[in-house]
Short mmCIF file of all heavy atoms in Angstrom, two decimals:
data_model
loop_
_atom_site.label_atom_id
_atom_site.label_comp_id
_atom_site.label_asym_id
_atom_site.label_seq_id
_atom_site.Cartn_x
_atom_site.Cartn_y
_atom_site.Cartn_z
N SER I 544 -85.81 -1.11 -31.10
CA SER I 544 -87.23 -1.25 -31.45
C SER I 544 -87.58 -2.74 -31.45
O SER I 544 -86.74 -3.58 -31.78
CB SER I 544 -87.49 -0.69 -32.85
OG SER I 544 -87.16 0.67 -32.90
N ALA I 563 -98.47 -31.75 -22.30
CA ALA I 563 -97.14 -31.84 -22.92
C ALA I 563 -97.22 -32.28 -24.39
O ALA I 563 -96.53 -31.74 -25.26
CB ALA I 563 -96.26 -32.80 -22.12
N THR I 717 -101.22 6.97 -21.40
CA THR I 717 -102.21 5.91 -21.23
C THR I 717 -103.47 6.23 -22.03
O THR I 717 -104.02 5.38 -22.72
CB THR I 717 -102.57 5.76 -19.73
OG1 THR I 717 -101.36 5.74 -19.00
CG2 THR I 717 -103.35 4.49 -19.46
N GLY I 730 -93.69 -4.09 -14.37
CA GLY I 730 -93.36 -4.27 -12.96
C GLY I 730 -91.91 -4.00 -12.63
O GLY I 730 -91.54 -3.97 -11.47
N LEU I 746 -107.07 -3.47 -31.38
CA LEU I 746 -108.37 -3.64 -32.04
C LEU I 746 -108.76 -2.37 -32.78
O LEU I 746 -108.54 -1.27 -32.29
CB LEU I 746 -109.46 -3.94 -30.99
CG LEU I 746 -109.89 -5.39 -30.79
CD1 LEU I 746 -110.89 -5.50 -29.64
CD2 LEU I 746 -110.48 -6.00 -32.06
N ARG I 779 -71.38 20.86 -16.25
CA ARG I 779 -71.89 19.97 -15.20
C ARG I 779 -72.14 18.57 -15.76
O ARG I 779 -71.88 17.58 -15.11
CB ARG I 779 -73.20 20.50 -14.60
CG ARG I 779 -73.08 21.82 -13.91
CD ARG I 779 -72.52 21.70 -12.51
NE ARG I 779 -71.78 22.93 -12.19
CZ ARG I 779 -71.10 23.15 -11.09
NH1 ARG I 779 -71.01 22.22 -10.16
NH2 ARG I 779 -70.46 24.28 -10.89
N VAL I 790 -65.19 6.26 -12.38
CA VAL I 790 -65.56 5.25 -11.38
C VAL I 790 -65.60 3.86 -12.04
O VAL I 790 -65.02 2.90 -11.53
CB VAL I 790 -66.90 5.59 -10.70
CG1 VAL I 790 -67.43 4.40 -9.91
CG2 VAL I 790 -66.74 6.81 -9.80
N LEU I 836 -73.17 -12.63 -16.88
CA LEU I 836 -71.85 -12.80 -16.25
C LEU I 836 -71.58 -14.26 -15.95
O LEU I 836 -70.50 -14.78 -16.22
CB LEU I 836 -71.80 -12.01 -14.93
CG LEU I 836 -71.33 -10.57 -14.97
CD1 LEU I 836 -71.38 -10.00 -13.56
CD2 LEU I 836 -69.92 -10.47 -15.53
#
Side-chain angles (χ1 to χ4, degrees):
Chain I
S544 300
T717 313
L746 260 176
R779 298 280 150 184
V790 167
L836 270 179

